[in-house]
Amino acid sequence: MKENIIIIGGGAAGMEAATQLQKLGLTPVIIEKSNALGGHIAQWDKLFPAFHNAKDVVSKMFDNVKDIKTYLNTEVTDIQRNADGFHAVLSNGEAIDGKAVVLATGFDLFKAERKQEYGYGIYNNVITSLELEKFFRTRKDERINNPKKIGFVHCVGARDVKVGNTYCSKVCCTTALKQACEMKEVFPEAEVYTFYMDLRMFGPGYEDLYLKTQKDYDVKCIRGRVCEVSEDMDGRLVIKAEDTLFGKPLRMTLDLLVLMCSMEKNKSIDKIQQQLGVENNSDGFMQNRDMYLGMNDSKQEGVFVAGTCTAPKSLPDTIGEARSVAVEVFNYVNNK
Amino acid sequence: MDFGFCLSPSSHVKMDSVDLTTFNRLKETNPDVNTCIACGSCTATCTAGNFTEMSFRRILLMLQRSKEEEAKKMIQRCMLCGKCTLVCPRGINIRKILLDITR
Ligand code: SF4
Ligand code: SF4
Ligand code: SF4
């Protein structure tokens, strides 16, 4: 049986879906626009809630897909439905046919400079969560110079009508606490603060991480949203927030500010998505057929969705969806 | 005979008898008064809040906890500069609401 399944996106969702589809006897083909598989998670150092090495998980995933046909540096430039399924034209000039399409196109990180009041790109010591993760991997970043006071800002580009994103990005609360603890390990003398509106510790072991953050790492969580960042004469950062539990406005001088950037739908797929007739929800993420029983179906026959293209998700969520989409595709192909 | 005991008035907010007249009136023209998430951005950025107790977030709460007089007193600190409206992540039209409360 040679039933190609076109998987667009080679991140966690795409790789895991391909792995499972292959086990089910189908022939997945991964089309990845960048020069490597792995997506965002491959840029991560440690995973919440228990500080596992991201590398261990990702390298297993790489291993699982090593025999699966993969196109790197390749985009789908055109896709048409025909009697047998789909015909996709690729940016390398090739074309492939498939019975079904899986959109596993993932997310883009919110561009922190859009939130101008936080000063990213203006002040030297404002960095993003992704850049901090890179620092943990490489221990190299000129801006991180033995900071004595470090702040984390939650919900950057999320829960904020002013940037057009009213949704919660789900994983950044836990990521902030994870990174806060790691900063304490690298700089034990530093004071570390996080500024949150709600701490969303939604998963197994996540609340335990919160407790650890308080007990073992002495990270201070302050309930208030940072509304302004400026620089003082010495080039240190001055932030303003309300300490809402104490009920007073607060000012603090920091050496480093980390912005917990939200997920936004990866928009580079918009044209193909339109050709396939898959719509977006009001939050800009792709729409699935049904929130409960059709999570991985789109409203278009033969077109499936998995991972963060439909909403912000954690890695376990994404892997779960990738496995579930494989079953959906398998049933679809076999009942056709 | 005075044994030195007395009854302290309860410090609870009496939600059973809370007076929401002003808040409900306000809600008719400004449905967004219900959408505050108490993030504190308005208070933190407030021009008047640097020197006084001014806090829009708390004004909304006062109106929902039978503390209308306190709320009206606090509003007098406001200079209507509108900075709070700029930073509110819920997009609440704070400046207009402050004006409507005093009307
Ligand atoms: S997960 Fe936390 S930091 Fe991220 S958007 Fe939701 S509340 Fe904000
Ligand atoms: S409009 Fe009033 S409440 Fe708002 S920031 Fe200005 S002074 Fe403060
Ligand atoms: S900024 Fe808006 S959401 Fe935040 S506390 Fe003030 S009114 Fe409420």
Side-chain angles (χ1 to χ4, degrees), chain B residues 36-42 56-57 88-90 92 94:
Chain B
C36 171
I37 45 174
C39 72
S41 299
C42 50
F56 174 73
R57 175 181 75 77
C88 177
R90 286 289 208 202
I92 300 173
I94 302 177

Side-chain angles (χ1 to χ4, degrees), chain A residues 109-121:
Chain A
L109 213 58
F110 176 80
K111 296 230 172 340
E113 49 270 48
R114 273 170 61 198
K115 205 75 201 131
Q116 239 185 45
E117 56 269 50
Y118 291 155
Y120 179 78

Side-chain angles (χ1 to χ4, degrees), chain B residues 36-52:
Chain B
C36 171
I37 45 174
C39 72
S41 299
C42 50
T43 315
T45 203
C46 179
T47 319
N50 281 329
F51 311 102
T52 69

Side-chain angles (χ1 to χ4, degrees), chain B residues 46-48 54 78-84 98:
Chain B
C46 179
T47 319
M54 178 65 197
C78 171
M79 307 172 214
L80 292 176
C81 70
K83 272 176 81 184
C84 49
L98 285 166

Side-chain angles (χ1 to χ4, degrees), chain B residues 1-6:
Chain B
M1 203 177 288
D2 182 2
F3 291 105
F5 299 119
C6 68

Side-chain angles (χ1 to χ4, degrees), chain A residues 228-245:
Chain A
E228 271 176 61
V229 181
S230 55
E231 223 174 32
D232 69 9
M233 305 278 273
D234 309 321
R236 295 181 79 202
L237 298 165
V238 181
I239 62 152
K240 276 195 202 176
E242 187 195 352
D243 184 342
T244 61
L245 298 180

